[in-house]
């Protein structure tokens, strides 16, 4: 008898994580060494070169016996096809779909677009006292200062905290997730207000959250709408583990009963939430020799969370608010508009280019879906679904045949999402015709260097010469006690030297792993990284 429960758990973990993390974790730069089986050798057209035999060897592995490969490489000058396998066939894109959504958002908003989040004083001002409310008007800022470095760039790690519940090794950026909120509070104090006889309200009317987009974007986002929970082993086996968490905002409270286990034993930490997610409890064990382990819990009401965070920040800045900090967000008190209301604070974000880089480097799902809602807002709508016509119009202008793209979200995680190799290469080729070609290329993960390609091909000749977005769709196969690989894909640019950058796509639909071990997925995804490397190395 198999292990359907175990496979189901692996399916949930793999489906959530592998949509982005397909190439992370194998730093050796070598593919799986399973003996290859005969595979059809692609016959090049008169205008195409033969594939590197190392690529055809990968395609002949047992994992791909029943799979379908897609491949397309084109030159930068005239788009001439150098290699091609089923370029017009639909493939599951995984997170390579972010190439479409991020491109559309980038071009709709503009490279240098900055989100300005204001706070208005609504009421009567008498000296330093405001009798009325402070309204924070959310503008869809993805990080609200929570990742911004002193030089204005946005910080990221190769394995982002948004994937902490799916893969070990996720790490935090050092920036304060409440930095933007704190800055707004200090500006309110600098405006001369020291007392608010009223309330603080988050105005989230920019757009309506759409649950079809998973994760669901909200107009106000603080720390990716997550509570970070960092567990560190105690000094010895049997000791209580140490816990730190952020951002610390009432009424959220975190407790831990995690114990330190002997070195070499498994680490197993469970996170449970109650009271609408505001009471978080960690239990289990962490090995004495384990690195600190990061987990996250969702912020279930971002508007109420932001309201409390701002009231607490105002208190730290020397502004007293008479309202209960832990109360609900009283949106019914909001005015129809803010004409004539004094703006007492505003936080300005880094340019959108920096957010695009964050989304593409770490495959930030919330940020990619947020782009759909922001495109809707640009068209005057509060309904996120209205972002898709904006994206469609952009793809038409960019020369992408959108009949070869099917999307229901911005992240590439919906089961309906499809794209052909040709459409993805058309999207990449578009950027090469723009003044932002270098910016877009360098926003992608770089093979062996950073983002979700940091761990691959560190010693390959192609290291640093492949700029590419990765994607995957993985589920469980309970029937055969293994994992089913809907798709693993990679698309981007190959630095061929002399300022030449070829566009490329490589992907496989319908592969299968020999076991239910997620490490087998990493072996397949490493094969895709190697194919990209071999394309770069080939003359």
């Amino acid at each position: 008898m198999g292990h359907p429960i175990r496979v189901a758990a692996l399916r949930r973990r793999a489906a959530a994580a592998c949509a982005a993390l397909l190439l992370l974790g194998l730093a050796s730069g070598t593919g799986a060494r399973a003996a290859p089986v005969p595979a059809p050798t692609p016959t090049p057209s008169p205008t195409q070169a033969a594939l590197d035999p190392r690529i055809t060897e990968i395609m002949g592995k047992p994992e791909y016996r029943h799979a379908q490969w897609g491949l397309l490489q084109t030159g930068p000058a005239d788009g001439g096809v150098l290699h091609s396998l089923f370029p017009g066939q639909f493939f599951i894109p995984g997170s390579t779909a972010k190439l479409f959504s991020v491109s559309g958002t980038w071009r709709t908003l503009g490279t240098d677009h900055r989100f300005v989040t204001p706070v208005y004083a609504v009421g009567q001002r008498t000296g330093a006292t405001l009798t009325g409310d402070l309204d924070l008007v959310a503008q869809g800022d993805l990080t609200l200062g929570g990742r911004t470095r002193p030089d204005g760039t946005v910080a990221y790690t190769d394995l982002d905290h948004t994937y902490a519940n799916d893969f070990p090794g996720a790490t935090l950026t050092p920036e304060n997730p409440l930095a933007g909120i704190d800055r707004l509070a200090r500006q309110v104090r600098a405006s001369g207000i020291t007392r608010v006889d009223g309330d603080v309200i988050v105005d989230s009317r920019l757009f309506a959250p759409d649950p079809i987009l998973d994760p669901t974007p909200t107009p106000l986002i603080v720390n990716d709408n997550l509570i970070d929970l960092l567990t560190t082993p105690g000094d010895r086996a049997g000791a209580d583990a140490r816990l730190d968490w952020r951002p610390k905002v009432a009424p959220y409270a975190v407790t831990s009963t995690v114990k330190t286990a002997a070195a070499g034993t498994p680490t197993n930490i469970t996170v449970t939430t109650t009271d609408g997610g505001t009471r978080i409890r960690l239990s289990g064990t962490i090995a004495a020799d384990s690195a600190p382990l990061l987990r996250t819990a969702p912020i279930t009401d971002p508007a109420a969370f932001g309201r409390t965070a701002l009231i607490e920040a105002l208190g730290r800045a020397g502004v007293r608010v008479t309202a209960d900090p832990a109360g609900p967000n009283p949106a019914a008190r909001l005015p129809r508009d803010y004409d004539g209301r004094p703006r007492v604070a505003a936080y300005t974000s880094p340019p959108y280019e920096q957010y695009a880089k964050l989304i593409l480097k770490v495959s930030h799902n919330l940020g990619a879906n947020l782009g759909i809602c922001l495109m809707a807002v640009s068209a005057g709508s509060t309904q996120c679904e209205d972002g898709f016509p904006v994206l469609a119009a952009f793809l038409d202008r960019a020369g992408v045949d959108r009949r070869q793209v099917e999307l229901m979200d911005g992240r590439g995680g919906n089961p309906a999402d499809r794209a052909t190799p040709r459409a993805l290469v058309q999207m990449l080729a578009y950027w090469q015709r723009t003044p932002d070609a270098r910016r877009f290329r360098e926003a992608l993960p770089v093979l062996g260097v950073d983002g979700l390609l940091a761990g691959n091909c560190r010693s390959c000749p192609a290291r640093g010469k492949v700029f590419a977005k990765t994607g995957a769709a993985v589920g469980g196969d309970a029937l055969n006690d293994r994992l089913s690989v809907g798709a693993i894909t990679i698309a981007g640019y190959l630095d061929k030297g002399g300022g030449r950058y070829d566009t490329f796509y490589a992907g496989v639909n319908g592969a299968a792993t020999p076991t239910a071990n997620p490490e087998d997925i990493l072996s397949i995804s490493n094969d895709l990284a190697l194919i990209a490397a071999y394309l770069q190395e080939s003359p």
Side-chain angles (χ1 to χ4, degrees):
M1 185 175 180
H3 304 281
I5 295 176
R6 177 165 61 86
V7 172
L10 287 171
R11 178 188 184 277
R12 288 193 296 271
R13 188 160 68 247
C18 287
L21 300 181
L22 67 111
L23 298 179
L24 190 73
L26 291 182
S28 65
T30 59
R33 295 295 97 192
V37 297
T41 300
T43 302
S45 72
T47 61
Q48 296 178 35
L51 274 177
D52 188 312
R54 295 174 295 180
I55 295 177
T56 56
E57 180 181 352
I58 288 173
M59 292 178 174
K61 288 183 178 182
E63 295 94 317
Y64 313 122
R65 181 179 291 110
H66 306 294
Q68 175 65 63
W69 283 94
L71 185 73
L72 185 60
Q73 179 185 352
T74 64
D78 56 2
V81 175
L82 304 175
H83 296 108
S84 177
L85 288 173
F86 301 103
Q89 180 171 308
F90 272 132
F91 285 80
I92 299 170
S95 283
T96 56
K98 292 181 174 71
L99 293 170
F100 299 118
S101 61
V102 171
S103 295
T105 309
W106 188 328
R107 276 317 198 212
T108 298
L109 299 180
T111 299
D112 298 321
H113 175 82
R114 296 174 186 265
F115 300 86
V116 179
T117 302
V119 175
Y120 290 96
V122 180
Q124 296 298 317
R125 176 92 173 262
T126 305
T129 298
L130 172 67
T131 302
D133 301 328
L134 289 175
D135 293 357
L136 184 159
V137 185
Q139 297 295 308
D141 188 328
L142 179 57
T143 71
L144 200 63
R147 293 179 185 252
T148 305
R149 300 184 181 104
D151 65 358
T153 59
V154 172
Y156 61 89
T157 61
D158 292 333
L159 182 50
D160 192 64
H161 78 136
T162 54
Y163 289 102
N165 292 346
D166 305 308
F167 270 78
T171 55
L172 297 170
T173 60
E175 286 70 28
N176 175 11
L178 297 176
I181 296 288
D182 285 340
R183 183 173 297 184
L184 288 170
R186 291 193 296 269
Q187 290 181 25
V188 171
R189 176 64 182 85
S191 76
I193 296 174
T194 60
R195 180 182 174 90
V196 178
D197 284 336
D199 217 322
V200 170
I201 311 174
V202 171
D203 186 338
S204 292
R205 295 177 291 186
L206 184 70
F207 60 81
D210 186 345
I212 293 178
L213 300 176
D214 181 21
T216 302
T218 52
L220 182 72
I221 298 171
V222 176
N223 201 45
D224 301 311
N225 291 341
L226 295 172
I227 302 292
D228 295 318
L229 311 161
L230 189 66
T231 300
T232 303
D235 297 330
R236 54 181 173 76
D240 291 340
R242 293 185 289 272
L243 171 69
D244 193 13
W245 62 283
R246 71 177 204 182
K248 293 182 173 68
V249 172
Y252 283 75
V254 181
T255 58
S256 174
T257 59
V258 177
K259 295 290 185 180
T260 305
T265 58
T267 291
N268 186 11
I269 294 178
T270 299
V271 178
T272 56
T273 61
T274 56
D275 294 343
T278 63
R279 295 295 179 267
I280 304 168
R281 182 174 181 270
L282 287 77
S283 59
T285 59
I286 184 169
D289 57 347
S290 172
L293 183 70
L294 183 64
R295 291 285 185 264
T296 62
I299 293 171
T300 53
D301 188 340
F305 183 89
R307 170 190 176 272
T308 301
L310 182 53
I311 292 175
E312 292 179 346
L314 287 165
R316 294 190 294 271
V319 180
R320 182 173 181 269
V321 179
T322 59
D324 177 9
N329 186 54
R333 293 168 59 110
L334 291 170
R336 183 175 63 179
D337 56 51
Y338 295 95
D339 291 346
R341 316 280 188 180
R343 192 174 82 170
V344 294
Y347 178 78
T348 301
S349 77
Y352 182 76
E353 172 205 358
Q354 285 293 311
Y355 285 165
K357 188 173 186 178
L358 167 67
I359 296 166
L360 294 171
K361 290 286 188 185
V362 309
S363 209
H364 196 286
N365 291 323
L366 181 63
N369 280 344
L370 175 63
I372 301 297
C373 302
L374 294 175
M375 283 186 280
V377 170
S378 76
S381 174
T382 61
Q383 303 302 310
C384 292
E385 65 184 21
D386 290 334
F388 287 104
V390 179
L391 177 58
F394 160 73
L395 294 178
D396 290 344
R397 295 193 304 272
V400 177
D401 182 359
R402 60 182 168 90
R403 294 169 300 177
Q404 299 188 47
V405 184
E406 297 176 347
L407 292 178
M408 282 294 293
D409 63 7
R411 60 169 282 201
N414 191 288
D417 294 345
R418 297 290 187 274
T420 68
R422 183 177 292 119
L424 283 158
V425 166
Q426 288 171 343
M427 185 74 268
L428 293 160
Y430 159 79
W431 281 100
Q432 299 205 103
R433 303 189 296 270
T434 73
D436 288 326
R438 180 185 60 80
R439 290 179 174 182
F440 183 80
R441 182 174 65 249
E442 293 179 356
L444 298 171
V446 182
L447 185 67
V449 176
D450 66 13
L452 292 177
L453 284 171
N456 295 89
C457 244
R458 287 186 178 272
S459 59
C460 293
R463 181 179 186 269
K465 299 177 183 178
V466 176
F467 304 77
K469 185 72 197 76
T470 59
V474 179
D477 176 7
L479 180 67
N480 297 294
D481 196 14
R482 63 184 183 180
L483 293 175
S484 171
V485 184
I488 293 184
T489 56
I490 183 169
Y493 303 99
L494 307 169
D495 183 354
K496 304 294 282 187
R500 169 183 164 180
Y501 293 91
D502 289 0
T503 51
F504 83 99
Y505 166 95
V508 61
N509 273 190
T513 63
T515 72
N517 187 342
E519 290 294 321
D520 294 335
I521 298 294
L522 296 177
S523 178
I524 294 176
S525 58
N526 192 60
D527 281 348
L528 269 294
L530 285 171
I531 287 174
Y534 297 153
L535 289 173
Q536 189 282 324
E537 295 169 17
S538 299

